[in-house]
């Protein structure tokens, strides 16, 4: 019988006994780990291995030095295993590292840049556990959790409860401790369906259920309010990712994630978004708070960068007619940014009431037929755009990924496509192959999943194939091969990230983290494993799961570390003679 590690994983997570095992009290597991850690112990689901020293893997001097520093950090956490790490102060309850606005102001950032991501300002990584708010409750299971959330789980002000904003922002307070959102099939019609239908008609489709067929799979929603539109698009099998700037309270990103919808902190301030060029089929903004006229309209150039050829930019705003009037607009013209969008090779497809839809050209010749003094094309490819300064040039025109959205084949990648994406075909199928007899992962307990080192998105593909109602944030670490185009191609959510830095999300926003080979990668990048594990603890909700796959050495060190954080953990030997191990953990729900 072939045993891929997916099937092992599902065995571990899917059957009753190990879940119960993992749900044992922290004390019990501590004892178990102490008992089992020193000797090989076979169980039905694999075996807990000897604690083999990490010496075998010290072939690399850099790795060696990193391991040493990890050990020193580890020792500083406490003299023995029984000594727990510290808990963070209450001001870290909803804090996102790199977004300390007062520290950014002190460091001299202003004009809105204080709200930008500045990891260099708050370098000191505190090794403390972020506690949930006092009223925190485990979210309701999907799909109920999409429509009803616990108000104690998110940081909202009284005003936000009372305000009933635009159609995508309206919400309702049901009871004292619950917020309920209008759902598609709810009693209250909230206009989101009509709006989505209107967009579809404006781009020439019969209805919004045709989006997928028309090549619209990946939508970037700037400032998603409370995620109602994204929830609707999700029901049409589109992946809509919400991005919004860091907000100390009432965060759209925190709310969307609490509802089980894809979201990430990211903003149009001074840097590029953490996506490669030509990533999205549609970019959407409804009153998203961006002044598109600012900074010589570089934000529009950034939208152009992430749009695929033939992709759409949807702008809905009562003020959009007044924008773009400052520069070059003809007398009486009411079309915003008319000259500028022509210069970008965008075609205004339709305008209706407050909504404008442009389509980016699918014809690369368009750029050469523009006027002389037009926006220049960028030199070279920006394959790995990671918070670079905004650029005053048009990207992607020399990219191999210049593939118009309508030409995209539905279904799986063709071999020609694979060729374009520079994948070795066997590599790809191996990566996608799920196990033989996949039992269910923990049912209905998991909705927001992050694959911290996603490669080609194989973990996501396996979960889709197994028909799990989860979504995956596929993270491609900086320094790894840029596989994001392949992941986007499959219609999945994805982002670049440097795991030496904190991830741009609020605490307690993911239910499961998966990391294959990440520990080894980080050791070679000289990043601290201790920082990484504390960061994982921060973004994981109480009772959330972690699955780490790596070589024995890093796995053993990670296990030592996570027991300090009071995670319940076990090492699983795949028993095929390799030095690969799985570390399966669950974060406890600590109230203190
Ligand atoms: C943010 O920065 C300020 C000023 O440096 C500091 O006093 C405060 O503790 C920081 N906040 C958090 C949550 O780290
Ligand atoms: C053992 O299984 C792992 C995970 O499936 C795989 O990466 C590795 O190549 C296998 N090793 C051998 C010797 O078969």
């Amino acid at each position: 019988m072939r045993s891929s590690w997916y099937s092992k994983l599902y065995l571990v997570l899917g059957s009753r006994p190990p879940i119960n095992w993992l749900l044992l009290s922290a004390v019990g597991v501590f004892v178990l780990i102490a008992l089992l850690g020193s000797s090989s112990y076979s169980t039905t689901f694999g075996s807990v291995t000897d604690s083999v020293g990490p010496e075998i893997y010290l072939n690399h001097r850099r790795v060696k030095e990193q391991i040493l520093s990890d050990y020193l950090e580890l020792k500083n956490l406490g003299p023995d295993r029984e000594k727990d790490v510290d808990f963070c102060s209450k001001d870290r309850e909803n804090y996102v590292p790199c977004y300390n606005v007062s520290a950014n102001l002190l460091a001299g950032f202003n004009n809105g840049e204080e709200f930008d991501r500045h990891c260099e300002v708050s370098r000191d990584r505190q090794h403390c556990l972020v506690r949930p708010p006092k009223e925190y409750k485990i979210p309701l299971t999907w799909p109920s959790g999409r429509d009803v959330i616990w108000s104690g789980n998110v940081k909202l002000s009284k005003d936000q409860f009372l305000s009933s904003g635009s159609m995508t922002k309206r919400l309702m307070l049901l009871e004292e401790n619950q917020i309920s959102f209008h759902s598609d099939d709810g009693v209250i019609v909230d206009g989101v369906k009509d709006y989505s239908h209107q967009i579809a008609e404006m781009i020439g489709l019969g209805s919004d259920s045709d989006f997928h067929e028309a090549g619209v799979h990946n939508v970037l929603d700037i400032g998603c309010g409370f995620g109602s539109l994204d929830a609707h698009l999700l029901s049409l099998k589109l992946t809509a990712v919400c991005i919004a700037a860091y907000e100390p309270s009432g965060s759209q990103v925190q709310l969307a994630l609490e509802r089980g919808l894809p979201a990430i902190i990211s903003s149009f301030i001074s840097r590029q978004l953490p996506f490669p060029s030509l990533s999205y089929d549609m970019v959407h903004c409804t009153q998203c708070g961006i002044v598109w006229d600012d900074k010589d309209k570089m934000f529009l150039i950034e939208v152009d960068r992430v749009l695929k050829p033939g992709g759409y930019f949807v702008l809905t705003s009562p003020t959009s007619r007044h924008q773009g009037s400052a520069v070059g607009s003809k007398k009486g013209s009411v079309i915003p940014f008319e000259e500028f969008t022509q210069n970008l090779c965008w075609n205004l497809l339709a305008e209706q009431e407050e909504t404008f839809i442009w389509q980016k050209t699918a014809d690369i010749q368009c750029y050469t037929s523009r006027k002389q003094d037009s926006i220049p094309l960028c030199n070279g490819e920006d394959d790995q755009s990671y918070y670079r300064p905004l650029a005053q040039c048009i990207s992607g025109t020399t990219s191999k990924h210049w593939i118009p959205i309508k030409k995209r084949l539905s279904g799986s990648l063709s071999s020609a496509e694979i060729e374009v994406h520079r994948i070795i075909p066997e590599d790809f199928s191996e990566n996608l192959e799920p196990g033989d007899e996949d039992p269910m992962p923990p049912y209905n307990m998991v909705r927001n999943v992050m694959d911290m080192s996603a490669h080609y998105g194989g973990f996501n593909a396996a979960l889709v194939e197994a028909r799990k109602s989860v979504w995956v944030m596929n993270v491609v670490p900086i320094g790894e091969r840029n596989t994001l185009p392949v992941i986007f191609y499959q219609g999945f959510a994805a982002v670049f990230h440097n795991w030496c830095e904190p991830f741009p999300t609020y605490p307690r926003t993911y239910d499961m983290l998966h990391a294959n080979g990440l520990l080894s990668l980080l050791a070679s990048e000289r990043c601290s494993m201790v920082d990484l594990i504390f960061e994982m603890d921060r973004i994981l909700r109480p009772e959330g799961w972690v699955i780490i796959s790596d070589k024995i050495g890093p796995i053993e060190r990670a296990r030592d570390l996570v027991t300090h954080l009071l995670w319940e953990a076990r090492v699983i030997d795949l028993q095929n003679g390799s030095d690969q191990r799985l570390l399966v953990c669950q974060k406890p729900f600590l109230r203190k």
Side-chain angles (χ1 to χ4, degrees):
M1 184 175 66
R2 193 181 178 281
S3 71
S4 79
W5 76 265
Y6 290 123
S7 63
K8 295 274 185 191
L9 161 67
Y10 289 169
L11 273 172
V12 170
L13 297 183
S15 334
R16 244 28 200 134
I19 289 178
N20 290 339
W21 186 90
L22 282 158
L23 289 175
L24 283 175
S25 73
V27 178
V29 173
F30 253 80
V31 173
L32 263 174
I33 286 169
L35 280 176
L36 305 181
S38 57
S39 65
S40 193
Y41 184 88
S42 272
T43 69
T44 332
F45 307 97
S47 71
V48 178
T49 57
D50 282 341
S51 19
V52 177
E55 291 79 14
I56 326 160
Y57 298 100
L58 301 187
N59 41 8
H60 220 287
R61 206 179 59 149
R62 278 195 341 180
V63 176
K64 187 170 174 175
E65 285 168 7
Q66 190 55 54
I67 288 171
L68 187 65
S69 86
D70 275 348
Y71 266 130
L72 291 176
E73 275 185 85
L74 191 55
K75 261 179 78 178
N76 286 337
L77 293 179
D80 50 51
R81 281 184 180 212
E82 282 68 40
K83 166 105 171 46
D84 306 341
V85 286
D86 292 333
F87 288 95
C88 304
S89 54
K90 200 169 155 48
D91 65 347
R92 296 216 151 215
E93 222 167 59
N94 289 292
Y95 172 68
V96 181
C98 302
Y99 292 92
N100 185 333
V101 177
S102 44
N104 291 346
L105 281 168
L106 282 176
F109 291 102
N110 50 30
N111 285 331
E113 291 196 16
E114 65 272 25
F115 297 105
D116 215 343
R117 177 181 169 86
H118 295 291
C119 296
E120 71 286 359
V121 170
S122 23
R123 266 258 167 261
D124 58 316
R125 304 282 290 261
Q126 285 188 22
H127 291 155
C128 58
L129 296 181
V130 178
R131 261 172 299 176
K134 243 207 328 274
E135 321 75 45
Y136 186 87
K137 287 190 175 69
I138 299 296
L140 301 177
T141 55
W142 180 269
S144 326
R146 178 191 56 203
D147 303 328
V148 180
I149 65 170
W150 301 111
S151 50
N153 288 11
V154 292
K155 195 174 173 190
L156 285 180
S157 62
K158 262 276 181 306
D159 291 353
Q160 283 162 317
F161 278 124
L162 298 175
S163 76
S164 62
S166 70
M167 70 190 161
T168 48
K169 294 186 177 172
R170 207 179 304 145
L171 82 159
M172 185 173 69
L173 187 62
L174 250 200
E175 281 168 39
E176 210 170 296
N177 60 351
Q178 281 187 339
I179 306 169
S180 89
F181 299 88
H182 308 155
S183 77
D184 246 4
D185 28 51
V187 189
I188 307 148
V189 181
D190 63 356
V192 163
K193 261 179 158 171
D194 293 343
Y195 178 58
S196 158
H197 196 82
Q198 181 194 353
I199 294 172
E201 284 189 335
M202 286 173 75
I203 66 176
L205 303 176
S207 103
D208 58 1
S209 51
D210 298 337
F211 272 140
H212 206 269
E213 218 167 294
V216 180
H217 301 184
N218 294 79
V219 178
L220 184 67
D221 191 12
I222 309 165
C224 54
F226 296 130
S228 311
L229 179 65
D230 300 344
H232 176 68
L233 294 179
L234 213 65
S235 72
L236 301 173
K237 300 225 174 338
L238 271 60
T239 301
V241 174
C242 167
I243 60 166
Y246 172 70
E247 297 159 289
S249 83
S251 165
Q252 313 175 54
V253 168
Q254 190 186 35
L255 268 174
L257 285 164
E258 188 66 21
R259 298 183 66 186
L261 305 170
I264 188 170
I265 300 171
S266 197
S267 55
F268 286 75
I269 295 177
S270 62
R271 255 121 14 111
Q272 293 183 346
L273 306 174
F275 313 110
S277 46
L278 317 182
S279 294
Y280 288 94
D281 310 310
M282 181 181 279
V283 175
H284 173 260
C285 156
T286 298
Q287 297 181 35
C288 60
I290 294 172
V291 182
W292 297 101
D293 266 330
D294 270 5
K295 302 212 174 185
D296 295 333
K297 303 192 183 64
M298 278 210 282
F299 301 146
L300 288 172
I301 298 181
E302 178 60 2
V303 168
D304 178 78
R305 187 183 71 83
V306 298
L307 267 183
K308 286 204 180 110
Y312 304 96
F313 177 47
V314 182
L315 178 64
T316 298
S317 159
T319 59
S320 43
R321 283 188 193 274
H322 308 306
Q323 294 192 30
S325 53
V327 186
S329 90
K330 292 173 214 96
K331 211 171 71 179
S333 167
V334 285
I335 295 166
F337 328 115
E338 191 171 9
E339 280 197 18
F340 196 78
T341 50
Q342 279 167 9
N343 200 335
L344 279 175
C345 282
W346 290 5
N347 174 32
L348 182 68
L349 271 192
E351 51 171 305
Q352 233 177 60
E353 292 152 43
E354 298 172 346
T355 302
F356 292 81
I357 302 183
W358 289 268
Q359 184 171 32
K360 175 174 173 169
T361 188
D363 175 16
I364 208 145
Q365 301 305 326
C366 174
Y367 299 104
T368 46
S369 60
R370 293 174 305 160
K371 275 190 263 161
Q372 287 238 295
D373 60 343
S374 38
I375 310 160
L377 304 183
C378 301
N379 296 319
E381 286 185 40
D382 66 333
D383 252 11
Q384 295 221 339
S385 165
Y386 187 69
Y387 302 114
R388 287 197 202 153
L390 288 170
Q392 193 65 262
C393 60
I394 295 172
S395 317
T397 53
T398 56
S399 168
K400 281 190 211 63
H401 304 299
W402 182 276
I403 302 167
I405 62 170
K406 282 189 179 143
K407 292 227 177 95
R408 174 153 71 179
L409 307 163
S410 54
S412 56
L413 294 173
S414 68
S415 54
E417 215 67 53
I418 291 170
E419 191 65 45
V420 169
H421 295 304
R422 277 174 287 165
I423 310 163
I424 307 127
E426 303 87 79
D427 231 26
F428 195 60
S429 46
E430 176 63 26
N431 204 305
L432 285 182
E433 198 156 340
D436 305 324
E437 67 295 86
D438 295 344
M440 307 291 130
Y443 218 33
N444 270 340
M445 293 174 62
V446 176
R447 171 67 192 166
N448 300 352
V449 177
M450 181 190 285
D451 193 355
M452 301 173 75
S453 177
H455 305 281
Y456 300 112
F459 187 65
N460 193 342
L463 289 171
V464 169
E465 197 146 296
R467 294 171 178 277
K468 303 293 168 237
S469 54
V470 301
W471 70 273
V472 181
M473 179 60 79
N474 292 280
V475 183
V476 172
I478 291 299
E480 289 271 80
R481 182 142 65 132
N482 175 15
T483 49
L484 280 175
V486 187
I487 300 174
F488 278 116
Y489 186 92
Q490 297 170 82
F492 300 155
V495 68
F496 277 130
H497 185 64
N498 176 358
W499 279 116
C500 303
E501 294 174 352
F503 192 81
T505 193
Y506 292 84
R508 303 173 298 280
T509 37
Y510 285 87
D511 306 314
M512 181 188 270
L513 305 175
H514 172 248
N516 184 7
L518 184 66
L519 300 182
S520 294
L521 175 77
L522 282 199
S524 66
E525 302 255 310
R526 303 195 77 150
C527 288
S528 159
M529 190 196 287
V530 181
D531 286 351
L532 179 76
I533 301 280
F534 273 92
E535 176 62 1
M536 289 165 80
D537 186 86
R538 184 184 73 84
I539 66 185
L540 201 60
R541 75 157 165 81
E543 295 187 5
W545 299 81
V546 176
I547 300 133
I548 301 175
S549 168
D550 220 300
K551 295 186 177 135
I552 293 181
I555 286 286
E556 289 295 333
R557 277 184 289 126
R559 181 174 68 173
D560 272 359
L561 190 50
V562 302
T563 53
H564 276 281
L565 272 63
L566 308 179
W567 292 5
E568 293 148 19
R570 68 181 312 202
V571 174
I572 294 152
D573 188 345
L574 298 169
Q575 293 186 314
N576 67 350
S578 84
D579 59 3
Q580 290 285 318
R581 295 290 182 277
L582 277 187
L583 179 63
V584 180
C585 314
Q586 194 181 26
K587 171 178 165 174
F589 191 170
L590 296 173
R591 295 179 183 280
K592 204 171 171 180

